Amino acid sequence: QVQLVESGGRFVQAGGSLTLSCAASGRTFSTYVMGWFRQAPGKEREFVGAISFTGGSTLYGDSVKGRFTISRDNAKNTMLLQMNSLKPEDTAAYYCAAGATYLSANQRLYEYWGQGTQVTVSS
């Protein structure tokens, strides 16, 4: 079993930056591909990005590519999402996920999920 807890979500102005954290416990952290998803009210869950076991490879959704960066520190069992040039459309609940065996945007491949952290971007 893996437990994930997100933190760092807050209110921020458009153009600003914010870093979200995901703390993991349980199963060995470095054996899982990790990902971030987000969901705004009334919309489907959207893939944000994913990172490989060692952090050597990443995959990003088109809407955030070039603005967001995923990293992981396996020694600290932590994954980060650095968000820059934030836009109002980035407003959503952000979820940390783990369990995929390869980089994927398919949410069904991620077995473990956190409870989410809210990011609100104002114009």
Side-chain angles (χ1 to χ4, degrees):
Q1 177 70 22
V2 173
Q3 297 184 42
L4 306 172
V5 179
E6 306 95 334
S7 64
R10 64 177 178 86
F11 186 92
V12 63
Q13 287 191 316
S17 298
L18 187 64
T19 299
L20 305 183
S21 297
C22 174
S25 62
R27 183 70 165 81
T28 303
F29 184 72
S30 62
T31 64
Y32 290 99
V33 166
M34 304 284 292
W36 287 96
F37 293 80
R38 67 186 184 185
Q39 188 167 27
K43 294 186 177 295
E44 295 294 315
R45 185 175 295 170
E46 177 186 21
F47 174 71
V48 175
I51 187 166
S52 63
F53 299 153
T54 64
S57 298
T58 53
L59 177 69
Y60 296 98
D62 290 340
S63 64
V64 306
K65 189 175 182 179
R67 298 189 297 120
F68 291 10
T69 302
I70 295 175
S71 62
R72 66 191 294 170
D73 185 339
N74 290 340
K76 297 181 179 179
N77 291 339
T78 301
M79 176 177 64
L80 303 177
L81 178 66
Q82 175 66 50
M83 304 184 291
N84 298 318
S85 301
L86 284 163
K87 305 174 181 179
E89 52 262 45
D90 294 320
T91 295
Y94 283 72
Y95 296 89
C96 174
T101 57
Y102 60 94
L103 292 177
S104 177
N106 186 350
Q107 62 183 301
R108 292 184 294 277
L109 299 183
Y110 295 84
E111 182 176 2
Y112 306 103
W113 294 82
Q115 295 299 307
T117 186
Q118 179 67 36
V119 174
T120 301
V121 184
S122 64
S123 61

